[in-house]
């Protein structure tokens, strides 16, 4: 089992994502993700197109900060979650919603993370697939 370090993520990645809601609707995101040096860690930026059935496609962007211990923070500095070095499960509680994720690094440099999100108004699974460019 190989453990990942922050340096493994640095660079540009092709990103595809499917967001499958329990209603049966699936949204899709396609774009690029990049980890670039930032204050001793890396800043993660993804940018691309989000397609939701029945709506026009739209631009979407998201940013996080990753530190050397693979802790992930929202861009406003709040802690989000810790990425397991060898892959596997972790979680984030955002009252009243539970976010459970499994990281899979077994096909590195292709990898994925699958989020299972549950709460009073949320119920979906989001799979993100990364391929290094």
């Amino acid at each position: 089992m190989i453990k990942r370090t922050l340096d493994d993520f640095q660079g540009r990645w092709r990103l595809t994502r499917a967001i499958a809601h329990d209603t049966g609707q699936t949204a899709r995101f396609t774009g690029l993700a990049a980890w670039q040096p930032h204050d001793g860690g890396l800043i993660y930026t993804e940018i691309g197109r989000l397609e939701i059935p029945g709506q026009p496609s739209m631009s979407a962007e998201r940013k996080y900060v990753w530190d050397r211990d693979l802790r992930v923070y929202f861009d406003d500095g709040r802690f989000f979650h810790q990425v397991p070095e060898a892959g596997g499960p972790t979680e984030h509680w955002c009252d009243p919603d539970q976010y459970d994720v499994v990281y899979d690094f077994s096909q590195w440099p292709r990898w994925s993370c699958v989020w299972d999100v549950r709460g009073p108004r949320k119920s979906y699974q989001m799979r993100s697939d990364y391929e290094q460019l």
Side-chain angles (χ1 to χ4, degrees):
M1 187 176 312
I2 296 174
K3 292 185 178 181
R4 296 287 149 211
T5 68
L6 186 64
D7 294 336
D8 292 331
F9 295 93
Q10 189 168 334
R12 293 170 30 108
W13 301 75
R14 180 175 297 114
L15 170 58
T16 57
R17 177 176 293 136
I19 307 163
H21 293 267
D22 285 357
T23 62
Q25 184 181 55
T26 299
R28 302 208 179 276
F29 174 90
T30 55
L32 294 174
W35 280 262
Q36 298 173 309
H38 174 78
D39 290 339
L42 297 176
I43 190 160
Y44 167 89
T45 304
E46 65 180 49
I47 189 164
R49 300 295 297 173
L50 179 63
E51 297 178 5
I52 300 171
Q55 298 181 26
S57 72
M58 62 188 87
S59 294
E61 183 176 339
R62 173 182 296 181
K63 291 185 180 193
Y64 297 104
V65 176
W66 288 42
D67 73 11
R68 287 261 162 227
D69 295 320
L70 299 183
R71 288 182 297 245
V72 181
Y73 298 85
F74 294 103
D75 60 357
D76 66 6
R78 292 176 297 126
F79 177 72
F80 183 22
H81 68 286
Q82 173 119 25
V83 176
E85 295 173 332
T90 192
E91 63 186 12
H92 171 72
W93 171 251
C94 183
D95 195 15
D97 305 313
Q98 178 66 37
Y99 293 74
D100 296 312
V101 61
V102 176
Y103 283 85
D104 181 356
F105 301 137
S106 64
Q107 301 297 314
W108 193 268
R110 290 183 175 169
W111 60 279
S112 65
C113 57
V114 178
W115 288 90
D116 187 31
V117 181
R118 300 287 172 240
R121 292 181 302 275
K122 295 180 181 178
S123 187
Y124 64 88
Q125 186 177 78
M126 180 173 69
R127 178 185 176 93
S128 299
D129 292 296
Y130 294 85
E131 181 180 355
Q132 196 166 34
L133 296 174

